Amino acid sequence: MNSFDSPNTENQFWMKYFSETQESSLDEEIERLSLEHLTAQSISSPTSENELQELFDFQEVPEEARSLNDFVHQIENCLIPHTINTGSPYFIGHMTSQLPSFTRSLSKLMTTLNQNQVKLETAKSTTFLERQILGMLHHSFYGEKSSFYKEQLFHHHNALGVITSGGTIANATALQLARDHSLAHYGDVAQQGLTKILAQANIERCVVICSSLAHYSIKKVLGMLGLGQDNLLVIPIDQKQQINTQILLQRIQECQTNNWHIVAIVALAGSTECGSYDDLATIADIAQQYNIHLHLDAAWGGPVIFSEKYKHLLSHVEQVDSITIDGHKQLYSPMGLGIVLFKNPTLAQTIRVSANYIIRQDSFDLGKNSLEGSRPAMAVYLQAILQLFGKQGLGELLEKNISTAKKLASYIDTSTDFELLTSPQANIFLYRYIPYHLRAQPLINQSDKKYIDQINIKLQETQKKQGQGFVSRTKFSLAGNSSIIALRVVIANPLTSFKHCLQVLEEQRKIVNEIITKRNPRS
Ligand SMILES: *Cc1c(COP(=O)(O)O)cnc(C)c1O
């Protein structure tokens, strides 16, 4: 027997799953189910969480293989009907929406190719594609000269950015870089550990500064990086839902007085809660003055850079040190794509790790700068969207969604039963329902406030259960006030028109009438 000969497995049933012939019939079935799902009317089934627990109750791994038919039935009956129809035009409460149809075909290609971006030996062309895409995005935000990109695009040691599985890991990468770079003067944090470096530097406390609207991923990252969530200095927002830059400045000065080390300031471009964009011009000046790393979390709102009409929201973006953008939000890629860009590509060296057996120092291996190891060639989706839409298409798509959001917000603002809570800078805003007897009342007492909150919670939950329309719900405190329950609109789906939005509100009016009549049967 030759050492390359393998044991005879030709007769084993599972070998059929590694041949192509089996696939086509499954393909047809999956395509049928996919089309059914895409044309579904409701957002979800009325199935309760308890029922789902029963449906997915504990089971052992089956001893014997089940048939492909059984498996497809299971998907058809137990899985798909109880998913969320995120592509519904009435689903206007989250950042997940309808994808362009070409992403479905590409996902099949991606699986067929099964490249692993960790190193060149498992991802050849896609390694270079990823660098090219990072260059395109870097240029869109930082607009450096072409000589810069000639030098940096395929630089062995530098990186214009890193592609990640999402915004959380993109933020983690940026803050890791900021932590290590800002302390590099005292030693190598990644090597020696934070405790030792801080002791050596005689630093008592190490902080990250962000606004009260920062995404909770920043908290997670502080925990993960050993900085500690207690060391997140949270700055309140002002009337425009932007970080209060006066208080920001004061806190920075306090840090200096106390000899606290500031790892980074995190600014927001498109806050998750209400879509607000921080005042980058002022923040960038402050960061520069105090020599602090400025990270921009533009996971949601970054793509407005492609809109001539709204790119002013990102003015001075070229001054920030790093930017997070999510591919799977407003760049319409399937789940699992984030991007972090570095203004200065040499900074990426701070987070470089190599391993002799796999990631070589002087290689193009993307794994060098990446927190994640094995990962898919998600840049393929970015290539598709950037090429098939172009700046113009992406800009128009964003403008359409922003215009729908603004129209809906002004409708709510002029309505008598709903109250607009935040006016949209782009395509996210907050509002709530106000019961009839509490309208036009300047002073509302504590129990009335509680009543309004309860009505809005019940309203949102009932609508979700009915599965026709959907907005999300949050607890929000307007500058300086105690928090209230707010309904949240996110217009992300290009198929959502103003009319769809009105239908969602109409359904809410009906629900709320029923709730109130039930509570006060005689009124
Ligand atoms: C969505 C979001 C994140 C987190 O991104 P994930 O892709 O969910 O990990 C971070 N920041 C902001 C502002 C976001 O909107």
Side-chain angles (χ1 to χ4, degrees), residues 200-229:
Q200 267 170 18
N202 203 16
I203 294 172
E204 194 190 314
R205 199 178 170 195
C206 220
V207 301
V208 169
I209 305 182
C210 68
S211 94
S212 58
L213 286 179
H215 188 265
Y216 74 105
S217 59
I218 302 295
K219 248 189 188 166
K220 287 194 211 174
V221 170
L222 259 76
M224 190 189 84
L225 292 179
L227 292 167
Q229 297 177 0

Side-chain angles (χ1 to χ4, degrees), residues 86 95-111 163-167 325-339 376-386 389:
T86 55
M95 295 171 158
T96 308
S97 81
Q98 180 74 256
L99 296 178
S101 55
F102 55 75
T103 54
R104 290 209 301 126
S105 315
L106 281 178
S107 73
K108 180 134 200 236
L109 175 68
M110 293 266 289
T111 308
I163 293 196
T164 67
S165 61
I325 308 144
D326 252 336
H328 55 223
K329 287 178 182 165
Q330 298 201 88
L331 290 174
Y332 296 90
S333 110
M335 278 302 126
L337 174 57
I339 303 130
M378 297 299 281
V380 170
Y381 295 111
L382 284 172
Q383 179 192 30
I385 192 98
L386 296 176
F389 278 65

Side-chain angles (χ1 to χ4, degrees), residues 419 432 434-435 437-452:
E419 177 190 20
R432 63 177 177 169
I434 307 282
H437 70 282
L438 294 172
R439 289 174 210 161
Q441 272 200 28
L443 291 173
I444 293 179
N445 64 33
Q446 217 47 43
S447 79
D448 288 340
K449 276 184 190 160
K450 224 171 142 190
Y451 178 68
I452 299 177

